[in-house]
Amino acid sequence: MRQFSILLLLISIPFIAMDPNNLSKHKSKRLVFKKWQTQHRRIVPIPIEATLDENYIEVRFIENVDNQVIFQVKDQQENIIFQDVLLAPNEQETYKISLADIEVGHYELLYIEEDMTLIGEFDIE
């Protein structure tokens, strides 16, 4: 039985690792939050899903947030080129960050909550 479970896990790994938009013709991709910083060591679920499109980042809240939330976009030199504060967004909200005036380069999207900061990286080509 253990060998069967391991075999099923090995078979499912490529499907788990596939990008859900892989077969889509629409040029958008999910931002993956690679870094996070918290004041307390605990498991923290990521409360948002961010999708990068050509002209904007669309942020969808996965759960209700009781605190204020700060969004920042920083360039490679750590300059803040966008910042906005939302008060207690709920999971039905979709928030868009315009990228129309942003030059080609590597950027970070920061999601800052009361005791947590999530950082997602993306490139504008």
Side-chain angles (χ1 to χ4, degrees):
M1 186 66 171
R2 183 176 178 174
Q3 291 175 342
F4 181 69
S5 297
I6 293 172
L7 179 65
L8 282 176
L9 178 64
L10 290 174
I11 291 172
S12 64
I13 287 175
F15 294 105
I16 294 170
M18 285 178 59
D19 185 16
N21 291 331
N22 195 22
L23 299 176
S24 175
K25 292 181 181 177
H26 188 10
K27 291 188 176 186
S28 64
K29 60 183 177 179
R30 286 182 55 207
L31 291 179
V32 177
F33 289 92
K34 297 179 182 178
K35 303 183 229 174
W36 60 91
Q37 302 160 350
T38 60
Q39 292 177 355
H40 310 286
R41 291 185 173 246
R42 60 187 167 99
I43 296 175
V44 178
I46 297 176
I48 63 171
E49 179 179 280
T51 305
L52 176 65
D53 201 345
E54 291 181 13
N55 297 323
Y56 60 89
I57 297 174
E58 182 176 288
V59 179
R60 187 178 65 81
F61 290 90
I62 297 172
E63 58 187 35
N64 291 338
V65 179
D66 296 330
N67 305 317
Q68 79 173 12
V69 173
I70 301 171
F71 283 107
Q72 291 180 345
V73 175
K74 290 186 177 183
D75 62 11
Q76 288 180 316
Q77 291 78 32
E78 297 290 318
N79 297 321
I80 298 173
I81 57 173
F82 173 84
Q83 180 168 321
D84 198 7
V85 178
L86 297 176
L87 300 175
N90 62 35
E91 66 182 286
Q92 286 80 30
E93 279 191 61
T94 300
Y95 180 72
K96 290 188 179 183
I97 300 171
S98 176
L99 301 175
D101 298 331
I102 297 179
E103 298 176 3
V104 173
H106 184 77
Y107 297 92
E108 292 180 336
L109 172 66
L110 283 78
Y111 170 88
I112 304 167
E113 223 180 282
E114 184 177 27
D115 62 345
M116 168 178 62
T117 299
L118 300 172
I119 304 170
E121 298 176 349
F122 65 98
D123 294 307
I124 301 292
E125 300 174 347

